């Protein structure tokens, strides 16, 4: 699974670079140029992270085999095409959260169907890349959770786009949950519920402005991702 996690890392790095309103506004004005920038950046990340495995034969969607570099080129094209279904402009999309989940599911499925599992023995273990998985978890609980929580709340009550301060505070809150889970032994359990209690008090007293859904999804979502990363180190 080393190749899989590296491609997933490339995807989430691209999400950090391109999932924000200034880029969406520029994308609407310059669709061709923005597509070229997105695709070339994502392709460059994939090539650099998977460089040792490019000479191998990759199963393109499990239909036939291609060189790794050609497979990644098709992945970059699909990435740009798939990204166009994720539209943030108000009034032009319903079911934001389901669209977001479908968008990520399709790109992850494409990656999964192109990874050369049978060629590399070291990719056979699902948790074979702990440090890469740790980095993927960091990007998921900070950036991707922010986008998903916003979309759920947009579906529920049409909330406004989060401010920079709100985004930073909620990302920091989730990151602390994530790091607490990585503590050895059982001490993480005390710190986890202590931090959850502190966040509840801060929210109740309006020291931090976020919804109850955002708090509990952040806590237990970051906890689940943290356990996955922690488990990968134990299996080494």
């Amino acid at each position: 699974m080393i190749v899989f996690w590296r491609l997933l890392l490339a995807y989430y790095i691209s999400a950090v670079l391109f999932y924000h309103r200034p880029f969406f506004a520029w994308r609407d004005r310059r669709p061709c140029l923005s597509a070229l920038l997105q695709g070339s950046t994502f392709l460059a990340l994939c090539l650099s992270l998977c460089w040792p495995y490019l000479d191998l034969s990759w199963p393109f969607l499990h239909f036939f085999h291609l060189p790794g570099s050609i497979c990644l080129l098709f992945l970059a094209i699909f990435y740009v095409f798939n990204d166009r279904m994720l539209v943030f402009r108000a009034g032009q999309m319903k079911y934001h959260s389901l669209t977001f989940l479908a968008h990520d599911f399709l790109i992850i499925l494409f990656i999964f169907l192109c990874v050369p599992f049978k060629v590399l023995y070291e990719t056979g273990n699902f948790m074979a890349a702990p440090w890469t998985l740790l980095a993927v978890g960091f990007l998921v609980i900070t950036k991707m959770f922010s986008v998903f929580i916003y979309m759920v709340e947009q579906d529920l009550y049409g909330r406004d786009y989060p401010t920079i301060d709100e985004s930073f505070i909620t990302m920091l809150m989730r990151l602390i949950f994530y790091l607490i889970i990585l503590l050895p032994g059982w001490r993480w359990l005390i710190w986890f519920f202590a931090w959850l209690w502190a966040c509840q008090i801060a929210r109740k007293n309006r020291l931090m402005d976020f919804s109850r859904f955002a708090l509990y999804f952040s806590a237990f979502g970051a906890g689940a991702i943290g356990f996955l990363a922690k488990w990968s180190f134990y299996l080494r």
Side-chain angles (χ1 to χ4, degrees):
M1 292 293 286
I2 289 177
V3 176
F4 174 79
W5 290 116
R6 290 189 179 192
L7 290 177
L8 209 58
L9 179 60
Y11 170 63
Y12 288 128
I13 292 174
S14 297
V16 171
L17 294 175
F18 298 117
Y19 280 18
H20 49 80
R21 285 200 298 178
F23 177 77
F24 297 142
W26 181 69
R27 182 185 66 182
D28 294 338
R29 296 193 304 270
R30 300 290 182 86
C32 295
L33 186 59
S34 63
L36 180 62
L37 176 62
Q38 268 189 288
S40 58
T41 301
F42 179 64
L43 180 61
L45 288 168
C46 291
L47 290 173
S48 60
L49 289 172
C50 298
W51 186 262
Y53 311 108
L54 294 181
D55 293 333
L56 301 174
S57 179
W58 291 35
F60 180 70
L61 301 179
H62 282 213
F63 292 139
F64 48 86
H65 285 76
L66 294 172
S69 55
I70 303 299
C71 216
L72 290 180
L73 177 61
F74 283 116
L75 174 60
I77 294 172
F78 179 77
Y79 163 77
V80 173
F81 173 79
N82 188 49
D83 188 68
R84 289 321 186 249
M85 68 181 287
L86 190 63
V87 180
F88 282 84
R89 289 171 294 181
Q92 295 191 7
M93 186 177 70
K94 297 181 179 179
Y95 308 112
H96 297 74
S97 53
L98 291 179
T99 302
F100 174 81
L101 292 175
H103 170 272
D104 271 32
F105 173 78
L106 289 175
I107 192 69
I108 293 172
L109 179 63
F110 195 107
I111 292 173
F112 187 82
L113 293 177
C114 292
V115 172
F117 294 107
K118 296 181 180 179
V119 178
L120 292 172
Y121 172 78
E122 61 182 330
T123 63
N125 187 347
F126 183 72
M127 316 293 279
W131 288 105
T132 307
L133 200 152
L134 186 69
V136 168
F138 170 79
L139 295 177
V140 168
I141 63 104
T142 52
K143 180 63 177 181
M144 304 311 290
F145 274 21
S146 292
V147 177
F148 180 69
I149 290 171
Y150 159 70
M151 288 190 166
V152 170
E153 295 180 342
Q154 174 74 1
D155 287 336
L156 291 177
Y157 50 85
R159 67 150 298 164
D160 295 329
Y161 198 83
T163 63
I164 295 177
D165 292 343
E166 180 184 351
S167 296
F168 176 78
I169 290 173
T170 53
M171 284 193 292
L172 181 61
M173 175 185 68
R174 289 191 296 273
L175 180 59
I176 292 174
F177 278 119
Y178 183 63
L179 295 176
I180 285 173
I181 297 296
L182 299 179
L183 292 174
W186 291 98
R187 72 184 69 176
W188 65 267
L189 195 60
I190 299 173
W191 289 108
F192 182 88
F193 285 103
W195 179 238
L196 179 60
W197 175 80
C199 292
Q200 287 176 323
I201 296 299
R203 176 182 174 274
K204 183 178 180 180
N205 294 326
R206 303 305 297 270
L207 298 176
M208 294 193 294
D209 188 17
F210 48 81
S211 67
R212 183 176 300 175
F213 168 77
L215 172 60
Y216 287 105
F217 182 84
S218 295
F220 295 103
I225 300 295
F227 270 115
L228 185 64
K230 189 174 184 178
W231 187 24
S232 69
F233 282 94
Y234 288 153
L235 293 179
R236 294 186 68 181

